[in-house]
Amino acid sequence: MIVLGIESTAHTFGVGIVTDERENFILADVRVKYVPERGGIHPREASRLFAERGPEAVARALREAGVGIRDIDAIAVALGPGMGPCLRVGATIARMLASYYSKPLVPVNHAVAHIEIGLKITGAQDPVVVYLSGGNTAVLAFVKGRYRVFGETLDIALGNLLDTFAREVGLGPPYVVEGMHVVDRCAATGRDFVDLPYVVRGQDVAFSGLLTAAIRAYRRLAPRGKGGDVCLSFREVAYGSILEIAARCLAQTGKREVLLVGGVAASPILRDKLRAFSEFYGVKMHVVPPKYAVDNGVMIAWTGLLAFRCGITIPVEDAVVRQRWRVDEVEVVWRSRGC
Amino acid sequence: MEVERLLEKSISLSRITIYSAGKIMEVDAISECRELATGAEARIFKCMFFGIPAVAKIRLPKPFIMPLIDEKLRSRRTRVEARALLDALRLGIPVPRVLWVDVDSGIIIMEFVKGEILRDAINRSCADEACRYLYALGEYLAKLHNAGIVHGDPTTSNLLLSPSGLYLIDFGLAEYTSLIEDYAIDIHIAFRAIESTHFDKESELKECLVKGYSEHMKGAQLVLRKVREIRAMGRYVERRRRSVWGEEDND
């Protein structure tokens, strides 16, 4: 079986083609990335780029895979969650392909896809999932048929927190330089701890107070050469609080593995911390390699394949985008039923 | 054993001589320690403390957090936990009695309560019983909130069903606060625990909790309204209010 998947939830228009017929399951992986000139993602600009270059990306993926559209068994598409204008481009192209070529259309939840590609590539069996990206911060675990949210951010996401801080104090964009976030780079020069609010509430974190306090502290201390201290403390508080809720999830579910997914999983600092964390709690650690931690079409295609094997499809006329499609709304039948 | 040495060092005493029931006896300060659980932030041991069954909660340093932050968090949480336990007892809530506190080492020794975690017990109980337990949790939270204390993690995993009552345990994330938002988050956490671990009888159990809370809390309605607001703030909530500026109807 061969499935083509389309990702367009935020800054990346991705087309992936995967198969379940051989070990090396990725046949094509094409990505068109929107990079803002300044500031964050402008949904209109991103969606315009996607509309301009999307069709060509699909053609390129087919060429890369060495297959024709006739060989494709199903079209998978990320219908949410994400930015409306961006999602609509991917959904439109997917609906067109499905109806014009009479292919089954498979709806995929972007967050579920991050988890599934993580499981597929790392070989993790039943982990506590720490999902960190620009727009998401959540700790999840598979319980009774769904990836249930055990804890999440009550306000802004980790990636958003780091980027906004960097932007406000003038460290970025670009936010990632040579594989390392500018906040981590700045933190490397820090030594002392600056008092910043650490907010963990039960199983949730909250970052807005930390963001405000860190920006203020940076503006006050950077002129005295102590900007690095602020970056260090800021990062430690942010990562520390997330690992704390992950620990609570481990304690509550009794699972023996932890899996880091999402764009922020590419951070080498976070990876080191997770290693220490896993040793401390005696659990096995899995981290999605950076290439598949960020948004891509392969994860959508792969999750689409898993769903399609269980017979999940959506009529073209019902395939509307859902900006707020929560991960825990999805019945993960391929794991509970094993089809 | 390593833990026993650690606790003896904290108490700075290894043995005492006591006169009890007409006899002079030598009693170890700490003995017979065995691990009960490794929690998220502490290791829990059952030990004999001067001959009394006790629970020792030890917050060990975490290698994945900057030491200065870790130390601050550990000592603060130990101090607040001990205070909250004492205050809860004063408010008439069944909680373990505190026997020993060492803020610098992150150690609390408290009375051992024999019982079953409600999360497990609830699956065997009938609807009425389950409802009574959640009602009690609502009542405990109301009493704490009235006194300006939030528990911080009021889940069914932190309720212990014992023959002498339903005990509220683990005040490790307790805080002293007068903010309605903080009380609301306590309720939100309890709701979520019900949703994620007892989702088959979700709405009934939540109703029982709300009943217990409302009947014992002044201004419970204000808190519950805040809970709805907070829940609408989660990621990608479909029913989120469209505008952050407009004051629309509360669902």
Side-chain angles (χ1 to χ4, degrees):
Chain A
M1 179 180 296
I2 299 177
V3 174
L4 180 146
I6 296 177
E7 153 68 28
S8 72
T9 60
H11 48 64
T12 299
F13 186 94
V15 183
I17 301 179
V18 301
T19 176
D20 57 357
E21 287 155 25
R22 55 183 227 213
E23 189 76 6
N24 193 359
F25 72 105
I26 301 169
L27 302 180
D29 180 4
V30 173
R31 305 174 189 197
V32 175
K33 205 167 173 227
Y34 161 78
V35 182
E37 274 168 40
R38 59 192 166 78
I41 300 172
H42 192 311
R44 186 187 62 209
E45 296 304 317
S47 61
R48 178 186 301 177
L49 178 81
F50 293 176
E52 280 168 10
R53 305 207 15 219
E56 175 224 313
V58 174
R60 194 142 50 91
L62 288 168
R63 272 201 309 279
E64 206 176 275
V67 297
I69 190 80
R70 265 157 214 84
D71 305 318
I72 303 289
D73 295 292
I75 306 291
V77 59
L79 288 179
M83 299 180 179
C86 303
L87 284 168
R88 277 180 208 109
V89 178
T92 302
I93 292 176
R95 284 191 301 251
M96 186 281 285
L97 289 172
S99 63
Y100 190 79
Y101 294 106
S102 304
K103 303 284 183 193
L105 187 60
V106 185
V108 171
N109 178 294
H110 176 86
V112 170
H114 268 298
I115 300 172
E116 288 302 341
I117 198 70
L119 294 171
K120 169 73 177 163
I121 291 182
T122 64
Q125 296 295 311
D126 184 20
V128 162
V129 180
V130 180
Y131 174 24
L132 304 174
S133 68
N136 286 280
T137 295
V139 174
L140 311 115
F142 184 78
V143 178
K144 299 201 182 165
R146 297 186 189 194
Y147 294 115
R148 296 189 191 265
V149 176
F150 271 74
E152 65 186 324
T153 174
L154 293 173
D155 41 46
I156 53 180
L158 180 66
N160 198 346
L161 170 77
L162 297 173
D163 292 356
T164 307
F165 172 77
R167 187 160 70 231
E168 290 295 317
V169 302
L171 293 169
Y175 303 110
V176 177
V177 178
E178 289 164 31
M180 211 184 222
H181 199 280
V182 288
V183 171
D184 283 335
R185 291 185 164 270
C186 160
T189 64
R191 281 185 50 235
D192 294 327
F193 179 59
V194 181
D195 208 359
L196 295 172
Y198 181 103
V199 183
V200 170
R201 294 212 152 117
Q203 296 163 354
D204 293 320
V205 291
F207 287 139
S208 54
L210 172 62
L211 177 61
T212 310
I215 291 171
R216 279 197 197 138
Y218 190 92
R219 288 186 179 144
R220 195 177 67 243
L221 295 170
R224 287 188 252 157
K226 289 185 174 169
D229 291 348
V230 178
C231 291
L232 177 64
S233 310
F234 168 70
R235 177 193 75 196
E236 291 292 321
V237 168
Y239 288 0
S241 52
I242 288 163
L243 290 176
E244 180 171 343
I245 63 170
R248 302 185 87 76
C249 185
L250 277 176
Q252 199 166 337
T253 59
K255 299 202 190 275
R256 308 301 305 158
E257 292 171 290
V258 57
L259 169 66
L260 182 60
V261 304
V264 186
S267 159
I269 303 282
L270 190 57
R271 197 177 288 238
D272 289 348
K273 286 198 177 297
L274 193 70
R275 186 166 300 117
F277 170 92
S278 306
E279 278 164 19
F280 187 76
Y281 290 108
V283 297
K284 196 158 189 299
M285 168 179 97
H286 303 277
V287 180
V288 187
K291 188 174 176 195
Y292 297 102
V294 296
D295 293 355
N296 62 81
V298 171
M299 66 183 198
I300 306 300
W302 177 249
T303 309
L305 188 146
L306 293 173
F308 185 58
R309 282 204 303 220
C310 287
I312 296 172
T313 59
I314 188 168
V316 169
E317 57 272 27
D318 294 341
V320 291
V321 303
R322 291 180 64 189
Q323 290 100 313
R324 292 178 181 147
W325 189 9
R326 275 184 71 90
V327 60
D328 49 11
E329 290 175 45
V330 180
E331 292 280 359
V332 188
V333 288
W334 53 93
R335 282 178 80 75
S336 43
R337 278 214 313 258
C339 30
Chain B
M1 196 179 155
E2 198 187 326
V3 175
E4 290 170 0
R5 298 292 91 73
L6 184 73
L7 294 172
E8 273 172 13
K9 200 172 141 223
S10 167
I11 306 166
S12 36
L13 201 63
S14 60
R15 282 173 84 78
I16 55 163
T17 308
I18 54 170
Y19 181 76
S20 166
K23 282 190 294 187
I24 293 173
M25 300 192 294
E26 287 256 295
V27 180
D28 288 327
I30 292 288
S31 61
E32 295 168 42
C33 286
R34 65 178 173 85
E35 184 152 9
L36 284 183
T38 301
E41 57 158 354
R43 292 177 70 182
I44 318 283
F45 296 88
K46 187 188 174 194
C47 302
M48 298 302 279
F49 177 74
F50 296 107
I52 303 165
V55 168
K57 176 167 181 175
I58 309 176
R59 289 178 160 84
L60 293 166
K62 295 193 198 105
F64 51 90
I65 299 182
M66 192 177 166
L68 276 167
I69 301 181
D70 193 36
E71 271 161 36
K72 257 187 56 175
L73 282 174
R74 284 192 298 132
S75 65
R76 217 191 99 234
R77 286 184 179 166
T78 306
R79 191 172 57 240
V80 174
E81 174 171 7
R83 273 180 60 190
L85 277 167
L86 289 172
D87 281 337
L89 195 64
R90 211 169 285 144
L91 293 166
I93 300 167
V95 297
R97 287 159 178 80
V98 176
L99 305 172
W100 177 263
V101 185
D102 180 344
V103 170
D104 295 329
S105 313
I107 294 172
I108 297 180
I109 300 178
M110 58 196 122
E111 167 197 13
F112 175 74
V113 178
K114 197 172 162 56
E116 192 187 3
I117 302 285
L118 185 65
R119 183 191 61 201
D120 306 328
I122 209 166
N123 294 326
R124 284 196 320 270
S125 26
C126 63
D128 279 3
E129 253 181 315
C131 183
R132 264 207 315 282
Y133 300 144
L134 269 299
Y135 180 94
L137 175 60
E139 180 182 340
Y140 297 166
L141 290 177
K143 285 179 176 168
L144 288 171
H145 294 178
N146 276 329
I149 304 167
V150 291
H151 178 275
D153 194 19
T155 64
T156 47
S157 312
N158 283 333
L159 284 165
L160 208 56
L161 192 56
S162 101
S164 52
L166 184 66
Y167 279 72
L168 184 58
I169 60 169
D170 193 358
F171 282 64
L173 284 177
E175 296 281 356
Y176 284 78
T177 169
S178 54
L179 295 177
I180 283 188
E181 282 81 355
D182 291 331
Y183 305 152
I185 284 175
D186 238 12
I187 302 291
H188 163 61
I189 292 165
F191 276 0
R192 227 220 341 249
I194 295 171
E195 287 156 11
S196 63
T197 36
H198 311 292
F199 41 87
D200 39 348
K201 33 193 163 186
E202 184 182 316
S203 45
E204 298 91 313
L205 293 181
K206 273 154 67 176
E207 224 165 86
C208 303
L209 174 86
V210 167
K211 189 154 184 282
Y213 189 71
S214 310
E215 286 175 10
H216 295 88
M217 172 79 181
K218 297 171 236 146
Q221 289 317 311
L222 280 176
V223 178
L224 293 169
R225 187 184 307 158
K226 205 72 190 172
V227 173
R228 285 194 292 272
E229 281 178 36
I230 288 169
R231 293 174 80 77
M233 278 171 9
R235 290 315 268 181
Y236 312 124
V237 177
E238 296 271 9
R239 280 161 53 242
R240 187 182 352 227
R241 289 188 300 176
R242 302 301 302 187
S243 163
V244 288
W245 295 285
E247 191 58 46
E248 284 136 65
D249 18 326
N250 304 294
D251 58 325

